[in-house]
Amino acid sequence: MTGRRRAHRRALRRRILGGVKMITNAEAHDLLGRSDAALSWSSLLKEGLLLRVRIAGNRRYLAFQFDLTNRRVDPRFVQIVAAARAAEWSDLRLLNWMMRPHFDLDEVPADALRDPESDVLAAFLREIEPECHG
């Protein structure tokens, strides 16, 4: 990757991450509790189904991927990440999709996750569906 492309990618990453609420590792542990939820969280990290980013040397977690009411990682988001991995999407591409307004949802998908009735997963699956031309 050339220096120019690398700089462009860093600028894009900064712009996307600028609008995302982040939580620290300690906050994530407190949110999920330290029992079975923490164990499943560990397996989600190992399987790459939980997004975290490094900012100024510290790991941060995207707050929207957590279901605050049930104190867990949102299962719809776990499925979205799994589908994105299967479609060979980068974390940055997925994050960009999550932070842009979506026609089907009338808001950004990250915000739509707060509503248990929203069909964020279906919207994402339609997004990654291969196009078929006649």
Side-chain angles (χ1 to χ4, degrees):
M1 188 180 299
T2 66
R4 180 181 238 173
R5 285 190 60 187
R6 206 175 357 256
H8 177 72
R9 184 173 170 85
R10 277 194 307 268
L12 178 62
R13 183 178 183 269
R14 271 193 307 272
R15 191 180 84 225
I16 293 169
L17 290 175
V20 180
K21 182 178 182 215
M22 304 279 184
I23 61 175
T24 66
N25 193 43
E27 290 169 326
H29 270 286
D30 289 343
L31 173 75
L32 297 174
R34 306 222 183 246
S35 60
D36 294 338
L39 294 174
S40 63
W41 182 49
S42 174
S43 67
L44 289 171
L45 280 173
K46 285 180 190 172
E47 294 173 28
L49 299 175
L50 189 60
L51 293 185
R52 65 181 172 184
V53 295
R54 187 177 300 265
I55 298 175
N58 297 309
R59 291 199 172 157
R60 299 281 190 254
Y61 297 87
L62 311 168
F64 65 76
Q65 64 192 330
F66 296 98
D67 174 353
L68 302 177
T69 304
N70 297 306
R71 299 178 60 87
R72 65 182 180 171
V73 177
D74 190 308
R76 294 173 300 164
F77 188 71
V78 171
Q79 291 176 303
I80 289 169
V81 173
R85 299 265 187 267
E88 299 181 352
W89 276 34
S90 69
D91 288 352
L92 187 60
R93 183 175 180 188
L94 173 58
L95 183 56
N96 188 45
W97 185 85
M98 293 296 298
M99 298 308 298
R100 296 184 65 168
H102 194 280
F103 181 74
D104 291 344
L105 304 170
D106 295 325
E107 60 187 331
V108 299
D111 291 343
L113 279 174
R114 288 188 298 238
D115 177 5
E117 300 299 316
S118 72
D119 211 350
V120 180
L121 176 59
F124 183 73
L125 293 176
R126 281 190 298 277
E127 182 73 24
I128 63 171
E129 190 173 284
E131 291 184 28
C132 295
H133 298 284

